[in-house]
Amino acid sequence: MARRAAFIESLRHAAPGQGRVLVLAAPFEILSDGPERKPDPRRLPAISQAMSRIGYDAGALLPSEAAYLQSADAPIPTGFTVIGDKPATAVLDKGGLKVGIVFFPAPADLTKPTPPAVGDAVAEAAQKLRPSVSLVIGVSGIGMIDEEAFLAAHPGVLDVLLGSGLNAGTAGRPGPGGKTLFARAYTRGKTVNRLDLLKLPQGPDFAWKPNENFKAEVVNLDEAYPADPEIKKLFE
């Protein structure tokens, strides 16, 4: 967490287009989607404080994650939305650029396919945002197989899909027809997915193309990134 904070802060001060650095978090930041143990509840207040200090522009928490935080009297981190059984939306202003966020509903059962009606509801929410924003980003925790099924059923409804949940992480890659840039978080919190959007989607012929209009990188938060001392102190 401390290395992540330092890396994000470096982007905000040094990255090209730094005024438009957008920091987003998908579900499973607090609890794992796999067999890993839950974090020690005594650490939850520090985790919540650290996530708030990082200053996410928006993030999603599953109801189970919110309940686990609250069981330890740890507040919901600033900027995070507790998702429910319907899509939630937000509009962010980054350096004069309007960005629409669509949070996928919480998965009802990770062992079963997500019903198509869930994807239809997400698509409808995205289409309602489209006229008022320059970019529409989906944030999902339904797992890779269901995210790929959504992209196949609704190509181009989202400009970017940030996925999490069951299955592998991946750096950004174009989805069907090149219309949606698709990236998935890796587990254990030791990496950060970085997407640099060099151009914004415009016109029906637009397609995402690596190194032409976007760059994608999975950043390994190793010793190359010094720990933020204030965040590190929270866990001592």
Side-chain angles (χ1 to χ4, degrees), residues 20-37:
R20 291 183 175 177
V21 171
L22 188 63
V23 182
L24 303 174
F28 301 104
E29 283 284 342
I30 304 298
L31 298 176
S32 169
D33 60 356
E36 291 85 0
R37 295 174 58 186

Side-chain angles (χ1 to χ4, degrees), residues 1 9 11 18 43 58 61 64 66 77 82 86-87 97 108 123 125 128 131 143 154 170 174 181 190 202 210 219-220:
M1 190 76 74
E9 192 64 17
L11 290 182
Q18 56 188 270
R43 293 169 61 87
L61 290 179
S64 56
V82 181
K86 293 180 173 61
L97 180 73
K128 288 180 179 178
H154 302 283
T170 178
L181 184 56
K190 295 182 179 180
Q202 289 185 334
V219 179
N220 184 26

Side-chain angles (χ1 to χ4, degrees), residues 110-132:
L110 288 173
T111 67
K112 298 179 180 179
T114 298
V118 171
D120 294 342
V122 170
E124 182 179 353
Q127 289 164 344
K128 288 180 179 178
L129 284 176
R130 177 67 68 185
S132 60

Side-chain angles (χ1 to χ4, degrees), residues 41-58:
R42 293 172 296 182
R43 293 169 61 87
L44 292 177
I47 291 172
S48 174
Q49 287 184 58
M51 293 171 72
S52 292
R53 290 193 185 188
I54 286 173
Y56 287 91
D57 293 286

Side-chain angles (χ1 to χ4, degrees), residues 25-169:
F28 301 104
E29 283 284 342
I30 304 298
L31 298 176
S32 169
D33 60 356
E36 291 85 0
R37 295 174 58 186
K38 292 181 178 180
D40 186 332
R42 293 172 296 182
R43 293 169 61 87
L44 292 177
I47 291 172
S48 174
Q49 287 184 58
M51 293 171 72
S52 292
R53 290 193 185 188
I54 286 173
Y56 287 91
D57 293 286
L61 290 179
L62 298 173
S64 56
E65 294 179 296
Y68 193 50
L69 285 172
Q70 292 166 352
S71 72
D73 293 325
I76 302 300
T78 303
F80 278 71
T81 295
V82 181
I83 55 178
D85 60 2
K86 293 180 173 61
T89 61
V91 175
L92 307 176
D93 188 325
K94 296 299 293 185
L97 180 73
K98 296 286 187 181
V99 180
I101 309 294
V102 182
F103 298 105
F104 281 55
D109 185 344
L110 288 173
T111 67
K112 298 179 180 179
T114 298
V118 171
D120 294 342
V122 170
E124 182 179 353
Q127 289 164 344
K128 288 180 179 178
L129 284 176
R130 177 67 68 185
S132 60
V133 300
S134 299
L135 190 72
V136 181
I137 300 175
V139 177
S140 163
I142 63 175
M144 186 176 74
I145 292 174
D146 289 341
E147 288 158 357
E148 290 178 335
F150 169 85
L151 292 176
H154 302 283
V157 166
L158 300 173
D159 299 312
V160 179
L161 174 56
L162 304 178
S164 67
L166 293 175
N167 223 301

Side-chain angles (χ1 to χ4, degrees), residues 163-188:
S164 67
L166 293 175
N167 223 301
T170 178
R173 56 180 172 84
K179 298 300 184 182
T180 301
L181 184 56
F182 181 35
R184 283 183 46 80
Y186 285 79
T187 59
R188 301 182 185 275

